[in-house]
């Protein structure tokens, strides 16, 4: 299982939100590159980056910060937020980003998802963000009449192999991930799933790891790491199966 430390970018700074509300931002760092480097030094094998301004604007707004992150680490970086055309996908991948995550585009431009999969294969993911089981897009500001499971099945037909699943109600609240919905999504779609939203403790990491057989292959961690309630090294040990309590 992979642990993905998250770097959420707002106006070039590393922040955390609650339920995706921009007015709830807490600034944790003004230097995204050094933040990414610190996670790598603590053992991270992959970094998860979200361009929050881009998600709301519909096009990237933190390109310089993303480039800074990529240039600061030797581990792979995946990026989402406002990626809605092929030019942006190509730009990010050419910059050195390892994987791009399409969110709203999966609803608004499914043909883009299909074309991106044809060109770039499993370097393209879809982010499925759900509020009470229903998909939310446009920076989580709009809920559409489609369930997370239905969207997962649709993007699989377009060529997607892996999704990031976020329960919006849990995001940034340290309330624990929605394990039941995450497992259901993996089983119902047959896709590989990265869990996001609410991971708050080592027990949460153990619970997500227990879903590996269902197809859940990773967990994104944000606030718990920044607030210090979980040490990355301990989470990584659990993810590798080196948990002394098991």
């Amino acid at each position: 299982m992979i642990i993905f430390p998250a770097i959420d970018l707002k106006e070039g700074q590393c922040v955390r939100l609650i339920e995706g509300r921009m007015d709830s931002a807490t600034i944790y760092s003004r230097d995204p590159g050094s933040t990414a480097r610190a996670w790598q030094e603590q053992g991270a094998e992959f970094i998860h980056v979200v361009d929050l301004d881009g998600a709301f604007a519909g096009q990237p707004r933190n390109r310089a910060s993303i480039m800074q992150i990529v240039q600061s680490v030797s581990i792979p970086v995946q990026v989402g937020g406002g990626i809605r055309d092929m030019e942006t996908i190509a730009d990010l991948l050419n910059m050195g980003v390892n994987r791009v995550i399409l969110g709203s585009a999966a609803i608004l431009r499914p043909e883009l998802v299909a074309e991106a999969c044809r060109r770039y294969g499993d370097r393209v993911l879809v982010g499925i963000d759900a509020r009470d089981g229903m998909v939310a897009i446009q920076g989580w500001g709009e809920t559409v009449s489609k369930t997370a499971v239905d969207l997962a099945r649709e993007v699989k037909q377009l060529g997607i192999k892996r999704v990031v699943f976020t329960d919006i109600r849990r995001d940034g609240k340290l309330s624990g991930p929605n394990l039941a919905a995450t497992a259901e999504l993996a089983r119902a779609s047959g896709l590989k799933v990265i869990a996001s939203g609410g991971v708050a403790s080592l027990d949460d990491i153990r619970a997500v790891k227990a879903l590996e057989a269902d197809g859940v292959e990773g967990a994104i961690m944000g606030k718990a790491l920044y607030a210090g309630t979980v040490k990355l090294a301990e989470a990584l040990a659990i993810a590798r199966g080196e948990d002394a309590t098991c």
Side-chain angles (χ1 to χ4, degrees):
M1 185 174 108
I2 300 174
I3 301 294
F4 298 81
I7 298 179
D8 289 359
L9 298 171
K10 181 176 185 288
E11 298 173 358
Q13 303 173 123
C14 303
V15 305
R16 296 303 300 167
L17 307 183
I18 296 174
E19 293 187 20
R21 299 195 313 272
M22 290 292 260
D23 61 358
S24 70
T26 299
I27 299 171
Y28 284 104
S29 169
R30 301 183 190 279
D31 187 343
S34 66
T35 300
R37 192 161 50 248
W39 292 136
Q40 176 175 296
E41 290 169 353
Q42 292 175 48
E45 300 172 345
F46 223 118
I47 300 288
H48 175 81
V49 177
V50 178
D51 182 340
L52 295 171
D53 302 300
F56 283 88
Q59 57 185 341
R61 286 287 188 262
N62 287 279
R63 187 181 186 279
S65 294
I66 294 168
M67 179 173 286
Q68 182 187 13
I69 290 168
V70 170
Q71 293 177 343
S72 297
V73 297
S74 58
I75 57 176
V77 176
Q78 62 183 29
V79 175
I83 305 172
R84 300 187 192 172
D85 56 59
M86 196 60 68
E87 292 76 16
T88 301
I89 294 171
D91 178 56
L92 289 167
L93 295 178
N94 290 335
M95 182 194 302
V97 169
N98 182 265
R99 302 195 302 211
V100 296
I101 304 166
L102 304 179
S104 299
I107 293 289
L108 302 175
R109 295 193 61 196
E111 72 282 358
L112 173 67
V113 178
E115 178 61 22
C117 287
R118 283 193 291 271
R119 290 197 195 182
Y120 301 112
D122 61 6
R123 297 184 72 186
V124 180
L125 286 64
V126 160
I128 298 180
D129 307 320
R131 183 183 288 110
D132 302 324
M134 305 304 291
V135 173
I137 60 172
Q138 310 281 34
W140 298 354
E142 178 185 345
T143 302
V144 300
S145 57
K146 189 182 295 291
T147 68
V149 169
D150 285 344
L151 179 57
R153 287 171 170 155
E154 289 176 11
V155 299
K156 183 180 182 181
Q157 293 300 312
L158 297 175
I160 289 292
K161 303 288 194 299
R162 177 180 288 106
V163 298
V164 175
F165 174 63
T166 304
D167 184 319
I168 296 169
R169 297 289 189 199
R170 311 289 182 108
D171 190 66
K173 298 175 76 173
L174 298 179
S175 57
N178 190 333
L179 298 166
T182 302
E184 178 192 9
L185 187 75
R187 288 194 299 264
S189 67
L191 294 168
K192 296 176 182 177
V193 177
I194 299 168
S196 176
V199 178
S201 67
L202 295 178
D203 282 341
D204 289 337
I205 298 297
R206 294 184 184 101
V208 173
K209 185 168 178 61
L211 302 179
E212 279 188 301
D214 293 311
V216 179
E217 66 171 15
I220 293 168
M221 298 191 68
K223 191 172 184 179
L225 293 178
Y226 289 96
T229 59
V230 172
K231 290 183 171 58
L232 180 58
E234 294 175 343
L236 291 169
I238 293 171
R240 290 192 296 262
E242 300 168 0
D243 186 8
T245 67
C246 292

